[in-house]
Amino acid sequence: MVEQHTPRSLIVTFYGAYGRSFEGPVPVSALVRLLGAAGVDAPSVRSSVSRLKRRGFLLPQRAADGSAGYALSAEARQLLDDGDRRIYGQRGADPAGEWLLAVFSVPEQERHKRHLLRSRLARLGFGAVAPGVWIAPAHLYEETGHTLDRLHLTAYVELFRGGHLGFAPTADAVARWWDLTSLAKQHEEFLDLHEPVLRALQSGPAPTAEEAYRGYLLALDTWRRLPYADPGLPRELLPADWPGDRAAAVFTELHARLREPGAAFVEP
């Protein structure tokens, strides 16, 4: 199910879309103005920023004008850089024979780390083959390594790259490893929300800078979760009517039409 926009999610999306282009920290006043344009009130912005600070995503620093502001931590920048490859990269680019296998074993006395490991692999888009054996398209290797290293989990995991040699057809195995019905539904929900927006842009007047900014932020906030739920599985292994192709095309055109016009609203 496509998640609803939350203040914290929109702040993360803002930093991914526009915040990295600021020279220095983003002033709190700018965050309040820019998130306000997306329907987030000032108290919600401030409380969400505080939570992101506690998580180590944002660092409090003085902005160029001397006012209070927030910069991305090094880990947050790495997270967003990895996300760029997911969000804007070519879908289903790996050949069907290339897979990344994560095999892990965690001692019982550290089972909380087992839960963390499973949840992070799932969030990266891995499918479960068997207990302690998870699989993903091979192009996720670098991001997986960054994530496991950041969480200090590399001691429990071995990564392998290789092919599926049997015994079920690979397409049948993929349908066991991932819930394709649920993934298709998420793509369809994205289309229900944002395809009408694109049609309006195609047939109507050009949006104002604020309208472009708001439309792009909301579309990106919805879309950016999908390349994690659906990690870019090889197209030839998916159903013929797979809606992910159309969802990716809609987001790509929204990005092309809205991101740069929206940047004019972001500029102080």
Side-chain angles (χ1 to χ4, degrees):
M1 181 178 179
V2 173
E3 296 181 30
Q4 296 296 313
H5 307 292
T6 66
R8 184 166 58 178
S9 174
L10 285 167
I11 291 169
V12 172
T13 299
F14 164 77
Y15 270 93
Y18 297 111
R20 284 174 289 177
S21 64
F22 274 68
E23 293 185 6
V26 180
V28 173
S29 58
L31 286 172
V32 169
R33 178 179 74 89
L34 293 166
L35 273 297
V40 183
D41 61 34
S44 296
V45 171
R46 295 179 188 280
S47 62
S48 297
V49 164
S50 294
R51 286 195 293 272
L52 288 167
K53 181 182 72 172
R54 289 196 296 271
R55 287 178 53 193
F57 187 88
L58 295 177
L59 301 175
Q61 293 180 8
R62 288 290 168 185
D65 62 1
S67 64
Y70 284 90
L72 290 165
S73 67
E75 289 186 356
R77 285 189 176 275
Q78 181 69 72
L79 190 66
L80 293 175
D81 289 346
D82 286 340
D84 285 348
R85 288 187 284 273
R86 290 273 190 136
I87 293 164
Y88 306 111
Q90 184 179 353
R91 307 290 292 152
D94 281 343
E98 284 290 303
W99 296 99
L100 176 65
L101 206 66
V103 180
F104 64 86
S105 178
V106 181
E108 180 60 26
Q109 62 269 28
E110 296 182 277
R111 57 183 177 273
H112 64 286
K113 292 185 178 179
R114 186 186 307 136
H115 172 74
L116 176 61
L117 187 47
R118 287 171 177 159
S119 66
R120 289 302 170 133
L121 290 175
R123 287 173 61 180
L124 285 167
F126 277 72
V129 177
V133 181
W134 290 58
I135 193 167
H139 69 263
L140 299 188
Y141 164 70
E142 186 175 357
E143 183 181 358
T144 300
H146 291 158
T147 300
L148 296 176
D149 185 58
R150 184 168 62 249
L151 297 173
H152 308 292
L153 293 171
T154 55
Y156 306 99
V157 186
E158 298 292 346
L159 297 178
F160 302 89
R161 186 195 297 265
H164 177 238
L165 302 180
F167 292 94
T170 304
D172 293 348
V174 163
R176 290 199 312 270
W177 300 334
W178 282 272
D179 185 347
L180 297 183
T181 301
S182 174
L183 294 181
K185 184 178 180 182
Q186 291 180 60
H187 285 299
E188 288 162 358
E189 290 175 345
F190 175 84
L191 288 166
D192 288 343
L193 287 170
H194 295 288
E195 199 167 32
V197 176
L198 178 58
R199 285 198 296 266
L201 287 169
Q202 291 168 334
S203 60
T208 66
E210 182 174 355
E211 289 169 342
Y213 163 79
R214 180 169 52 249
Y216 183 64
L217 194 70
L218 295 177
L220 178 60
D221 193 55
T222 305
W223 169 256
R224 69 180 177 87
R225 299 172 176 84
L226 290 178
Y228 287 90
D230 172 2
L233 298 169
R235 184 64 187 85
E236 62 267 33
L237 301 179
L238 296 170
D241 59 349
W242 187 247
D245 300 332
R246 189 156 56 98
V250 166
F251 173 73
T252 298
E253 188 167 350
L254 287 171
H255 172 78
R257 286 176 175 268
L258 296 177
R259 189 188 185 282
E260 287 308 315
F265 181 72
V266 175
E267 294 172 1

